[in-house]
Amino acid sequence: MHNVIVKKSNLFEPIQLEDMKDVKLMDRTDTKYWFHVSQLADLLEEIRDDYFVLEIDGQKLLPYSTTYFDTQNNGMYTQHHNGKLNRYKVRRRSYVSSGISFLEVKQKTNKGRTIKERIRTEYDNPHFTTRENEFLIKQIPHDPNELSPVLSNRFTRLTLVSKNYNERCTIDLNLEFESKNKTCRLDKIAIVEIKSEGNSNGSPIASALFEKRIRIGGFSKYCIGRVVTDAQIKRNAFKGKIRRLEKATQKNLNLYHQNS
């Protein structure tokens, strides 16, 4: 399947990182979908003329690494689990191919928008520098000294940019999570996220997904990663999604059975 996706990605006209400055969309609306990776090749074929694909050093399937931070009582995870808006995520993300890393804060507002702020960072540092502490104090309602690493993930990503530059779309593959010496791979799932200034009406990829009867479905890599690697964490809100993931992947993610 990997070779098929690489072949399909090569059908897109490439775009370089420096040409994406006008479509950063740090204040945006996010719309997510997820489905079995076997459906991805046909989807890419259908939208090949509507998007550019990000290419770095000749690569289009680009590796990413992320470390998430949370409070000792999992405050940010719990807010997401409970459906609270005006919630936050804190993470270090390494864009491996470009050698660039950021400390990022994502806020989900009560208007349903996603606002992202970030500064350059060193990915492997488990502690925050003075500059990073100052950044976090301005961005989140939590004491940075109470945050510690709780989850890491790795995945590969295709990044598409609409040819009218009003939309960016990421397609994440080969997900792998690690926490507390527990690892879990979800390599049969593709996650599509459409990032736009407004809603996704008129989006070519949203239309193609609708025609394939693939419906909008939230998928937080942070929350799902916590659930599948930590048998003790609160999970009631995600049990249905875990069951659907099991059905789609034919894989037993049996942690949720241990904590009902």
Side-chain angles (χ1 to χ4, degrees), residues 157-175:
R157 169 172 285 183
L158 278 173
T159 297
L160 306 180
V161 177
S162 64
K163 291 193 171 178
N164 57 11
Y165 291 92
N166 67 349
E167 176 187 286
R168 185 159 46 92
C169 174
T170 58
I171 303 173
D172 294 341
L173 307 163
N174 304 316
L175 272 74

Side-chain angles (χ1 to χ4, degrees), residues 1-9 41 44:
M1 180 56 66
H2 174 82
N3 291 338
V4 173
I5 294 171
V6 170
K7 183 177 179 181
K8 294 297 183 182
S9 70
L44 294 175

Side-chain angles (χ1 to χ4, degrees), residues 145-157:
N145 294 315
E146 295 180 357
L147 303 183
S148 59
V150 292
L151 177 75
S152 63
N153 75 16
R154 290 172 291 278
F155 56 91
T156 52
R157 169 172 285 183

Side-chain angles (χ1 to χ4, degrees), residues 56-258:
I56 297 177
D57 295 333
Q59 286 187 296
K60 299 180 180 71
L61 272 170
L62 302 170
Y64 285 61
S65 294
T66 310
T67 297
Y68 293 93
F69 295 80
D70 210 333
T71 62
Q72 290 185 353
N73 64 351
N74 298 309
M76 286 182 272
Y77 169 85
T78 301
Q79 286 185 331
H80 194 132
H81 177 278
N82 294 345
K84 180 177 173 58
L85 294 177
N86 283 326
R87 62 179 182 252
Y88 298 83
K89 288 179 189 171
V90 176
R91 68 191 185 194
R92 291 193 197 275
R93 171 158 288 177
S94 173
Y95 300 76
V96 177
S97 294
S98 63
I100 296 173
S101 299
F102 292 95
L103 175 63
E104 301 181 341
V105 173
K106 288 182 71 176
Q107 179 190 7
K108 189 77 165 184
T109 74
N110 57 9
K111 303 294 185 183
R113 297 190 69 82
T114 298
I115 299 174
K116 184 165 76 172
E117 301 287 347
R118 65 186 188 181
I119 58 173
R120 290 285 294 268
T121 189
E122 295 296 326
Y123 179 72
D124 291 330
N125 188 356
H127 305 291
F128 298 125
T129 65
T130 299
R131 173 172 167 265
E132 291 170 341
N133 269 304
E134 291 172 351
F135 167 74
L136 291 171
I137 287 169
K138 292 178 180 178
Q139 301 299 331
I140 62 174
H142 304 280
D143 183 348
N145 294 315
E146 295 180 357
L147 303 183
S148 59
V150 292
L151 177 75
S152 63
N153 75 16
R154 290 172 291 278
F155 56 91
T156 52
R157 169 172 285 183
L158 278 173
T159 297
L160 306 180
V161 177
S162 64
K163 291 193 171 178
N164 57 11
Y165 291 92
N166 67 349
E167 176 187 286
R168 185 159 46 92
C169 174
T170 58
I171 303 173
D172 294 341
L173 307 163
N174 304 316
L175 272 74
E176 183 174 347
F177 301 101
E178 183 174 359
S179 176
K180 297 182 178 180
N181 299 316
K182 167 75 176 181
T183 61
C184 180
R185 287 182 60 84
L186 293 178
D187 52 358
K188 297 296 190 346
I189 293 296
I191 303 170
V192 171
E193 184 170 5
I194 301 171
K195 310 163 197 281
S196 59
E197 291 181 349
N199 57 43
S200 58
N201 291 340
S203 162
I205 191 169
S207 298
L209 288 162
F210 180 81
E211 290 175 1
K212 292 180 177 300
R213 299 183 179 181
I214 298 172
R215 300 294 183 251
I216 294 171
F219 193 109
S220 164
K221 289 191 287 294
Y222 174 57
C223 292
I224 295 300
R226 294 299 307 273
V227 169
V228 299
T229 58
D230 185 348
Q232 304 305 315
I233 203 163
K234 184 177 182 180
R235 68 194 57 241
N236 290 344
F238 301 120
K239 284 184 178 179
K241 188 160 293 178
I242 293 296
R243 292 188 179 100
R244 293 195 297 274
L245 279 168
E246 289 188 324
K247 184 176 180 180
T249 61
Q250 298 296 300
K251 187 171 186 175
N252 182 18
L253 306 172
N254 62 4
L255 279 177
Y256 79 86
H257 295 297
Q258 301 174 25

